[in-house]
Amino acid sequence: MTAFIEIRDIHVPELDLYARFSEGQLRHYNEPAQGLFIAESPMIIRRALEAGYRPLSMLAEYKLAEGQGRELIGLCGDIPVYVSKREVLEQITGYALTRGMLCAMYRKPLSGATEVCREARRIAVLENVMNPTNVGAIFRSAAALGMDGILLTPGSSDPLYRRTVRVSMGTVFQIPWAFLESAHYPELLHDLGFRTAAMALREDSLSLADPRLGAEERLAIVLGTEGDGLAADTIADCDYTVRIPMSHGVDSLNVAAASAVAFWQLGTLNSGISSVLPTGREPSPTAPIPLPE
């Protein structure tokens, strides 16, 4: 049985990972080995464990750790479990701790773009999408609406940043993703067998409902950064330029909202293409997992 370590002072060095390390420090922790990230809430911690991420330590509200969280803690093996009262933990996070539990976890070696695309039929590409909330929301929509993978340019936010993981509800562990080595990627996607659809506000764009898009066997949906959108060179290098029809004089949507609309229309759930991949690997489940309150 795991022995709990009670914390009364948030300034102890054991809590640096949770209270004082920046995202960059966590990401580069233990270099040249893989770094760390923080998973919040029992649901997200469980999804990370199921995806093969290894825990380093845990910080939990004492009441939860002693009660309904005990089974989840048991899945983490012999790691330090720091416990404290809720009011102490709120000093660390700055707000009511999300469902009473945090876990520092080791990152895994990153996949490459070729690996993510190998068996995919529908992928999303995020070009310099820098807001962690938007990236998390896009991952959640991608997992729910029939996308097989996500590629990010180097200027995009890290999917394992704490806020991104939280907003995604742990779907960053369920859908394959990789960083592209270069911002000049449409040629790579073409070489991998994908046609490319740039989401852009241009009068000569195709409607999202154009049947040619849904009929593509392999399609990459390319989304641009908040505000400026996609680079002109990227749009020129894509096979299609696509626009979401809108009314009431609205000319654009937040990139996360636009992604959900595009994924619903063009993802494997609604494109007429089977959602089962050639190897029989099915998209990651999105049904909720029963977890401790």
Side-chain angles (χ1 to χ4, degrees):
M1 180 178 294
T2 301
F4 297 150
I5 305 168
E6 186 172 1
I7 296 294
R8 294 187 176 91
D9 178 4
I10 66 170
H11 300 292
V12 297
E14 291 86 349
L15 298 191
D16 284 348
L17 296 176
Y18 300 99
R20 287 168 288 279
F21 275 29
S22 68
E23 296 284 8
Q25 288 174 305
L26 288 169
R27 185 173 182 176
H28 297 289
Y29 188 86
N30 274 345
E31 283 190 330
Q34 298 299 314
L36 303 174
F37 68 95
I38 304 296
E40 299 186 16
S41 87
M43 178 188 69
I44 290 174
I45 294 168
R46 185 183 292 269
R47 286 183 171 172
L49 291 171
E50 291 173 345
Y53 288 91
R54 293 189 301 113
L56 171 65
S57 67
M58 184 176 287
L59 175 63
E61 184 185 359
Y62 186 81
K63 182 178 178 181
L64 176 60
E66 273 289 290
Q68 294 178 321
R70 174 70 76 169
E71 184 266 341
L72 181 59
I73 291 172
L75 297 177
C76 293
D78 187 17
I79 65 170
V81 177
Y82 305 107
V83 297
S84 191
K85 295 180 179 179
R86 177 173 290 269
E87 53 267 28
V88 174
L89 299 182
E90 289 178 5
Q91 295 178 52
I92 296 173
T93 60
Y95 55 88
L97 186 63
T98 304
R99 296 196 64 182
M101 190 172 283
L102 300 173
C103 188
M105 309 191 84
Y106 292 100
R107 290 170 177 262
K108 296 195 294 186
L110 290 176
S111 299
T114 300
E115 182 181 355
V116 170
C117 292
R118 184 174 292 118
E119 297 175 352
R121 288 172 171 167
R122 290 291 186 268
I123 62 168
V125 181
L126 309 188
E127 182 177 287
N128 299 335
V129 178
M130 297 172 283
N131 186 299
T133 297
N134 284 336
V135 173
I138 291 169
F139 265 85
R140 190 174 182 183
S141 294
L145 300 174
M147 304 304 291
D148 301 318
I150 294 180
L151 303 179
L152 306 96
T153 63
S156 294
S157 180
D158 187 340
L160 293 184
Y161 279 175
R162 185 185 300 197
R163 183 166 183 82
T164 307
V165 174
R166 183 170 69 245
V167 172
S168 80
M169 296 296 289
T171 55
V172 294
F173 310 125
Q174 296 178 312
I175 186 166
W177 58 271
F179 276 104
L180 293 153
E181 295 183 1
S182 168
H184 305 290
Y185 53 84
E187 183 178 353
L188 170 64
L189 294 173
H190 290 146
D191 290 343
L192 293 172
F194 284 86
R195 301 275 279 178
T196 50
M199 303 297 298
L201 300 174
R202 296 202 171 185
E203 293 300 327
D204 59 350
S205 300
L206 294 179
S207 167
L208 189 65
D210 192 297
R212 286 173 288 182
L213 298 170
E216 290 288 357
E217 181 68 18
R218 308 185 85 192
L219 186 68
I221 301 168
V222 186
L223 298 146
T225 186
E226 302 88 346
D228 294 335
L230 290 170
D233 289 348
T234 298
I235 297 172
D237 290 340
C238 286
D239 300 296
Y240 302 104
T241 305
V242 183
R243 184 172 183 165
I244 298 172
M246 286 175 271
S247 61
H248 297 291
V250 177
D251 65 356
S252 64
L253 295 173
N254 166 275
V255 65
S259 74
V261 175
F263 297 163
W264 167 247
Q265 181 68 29
L266 300 177
T268 56
L269 294 181
N270 204 37
S271 66
I273 296 175
S274 169
S275 61
V276 178
L277 301 182
T279 60
R281 176 171 62 87
E282 297 183 357
S284 300
T286 56
I289 301 171
L291 295 167
E293 293 295 335

